[in-house]
């Protein structure tokens, strides 16, 4: 290239398009016109704040029987409340006394 040729431009390399540019509707349409295969996938739990399913949940889903967790009666709750009030403990104090791992 001579130094007197001011109108000639030489590109050494072209920049690769950014990921955001590849996701645009214009880029998708251009790829379809060229016949390039396009793959679209949905990520698992995308845009949610959920964790993966627990083992207990999957077991309940796989069971065919009617399953439910056992509950205690109201009489036990009343008994705990009465004993707590007799000893003069609040609910928080009772929880800290009976908790296996204090926080």
């Amino acid at each position: 290239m001579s130094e007197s040729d001011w109108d000639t431009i030489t590109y050494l390399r072209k920049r690769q398009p950014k990921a955001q540019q590849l996701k645009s509707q214009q880029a998708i349409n251009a790829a379809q016109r060229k016949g390039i295969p396009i793959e679209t996938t949905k990520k698992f739990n995308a845009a949610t704040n959920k964790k993966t399913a627990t083992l207990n949940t999957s077991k309940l889903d796989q069971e065919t029987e009617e399953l439910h967790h056992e509950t205690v009666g109201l009489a036990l709750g009343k008994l705990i409340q009465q004993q707590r009030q007799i000893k003069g403990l609040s609910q928080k104090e009772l929880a800290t006394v009976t908790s296996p791992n204090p926080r």
Side-chain angles (χ1 to χ4, degrees), residues 2-21:
S2 67
E3 294 179 0
S4 62
D5 190 11
W6 292 95
D7 295 332
T8 304
I9 300 172
T10 304
Y11 291 103
L12 298 178
R13 64 185 145 180
K14 227 178 186 180
R15 288 189 181 178
Q16 293 292 329
K18 295 181 181 178
Q20 185 63 29
Q21 293 171 341

Side-chain angles (χ1 to χ4, degrees), residues 3-91:
E3 294 179 0
S4 62
D5 190 11
W6 292 95
D7 295 332
T8 304
I9 300 172
T10 304
Y11 291 103
L12 298 178
R13 64 185 145 180
K14 227 178 186 180
R15 288 189 181 178
Q16 293 292 329
K18 295 181 181 178
Q20 185 63 29
Q21 293 171 341
L22 292 175
K23 294 178 186 177
S24 69
Q25 190 64 37
Q26 183 179 12
I28 293 171
N29 291 339
Q32 286 176 339
R33 283 192 295 270
K34 290 180 182 178
I36 299 172
I38 298 172
E39 179 182 343
T40 58
T41 56
K42 184 176 185 334
K43 293 182 180 180
F44 179 73
N45 279 345
T48 63
N49 198 17
K50 296 179 182 177
K51 302 289 182 193
T52 57
T54 62
L55 296 175
N56 190 25
T57 310
S58 62
K59 285 181 184 177
L60 286 174
D61 287 341
Q62 293 171 357
E63 285 292 330
T64 56
E65 299 176 12
E66 178 89 21
L67 295 179
H68 62 279
H69 298 286
E70 293 183 22
T71 59
V72 295
L74 291 177
L76 179 63
K78 294 278 186 186
L79 181 64
I80 292 172
Q81 180 184 15
Q82 289 170 357
Q83 293 300 316
R84 178 180 58 81
Q85 289 175 347
I86 290 171
K87 292 186 178 188
L89 296 173
S90 68
Q91 288 181 343

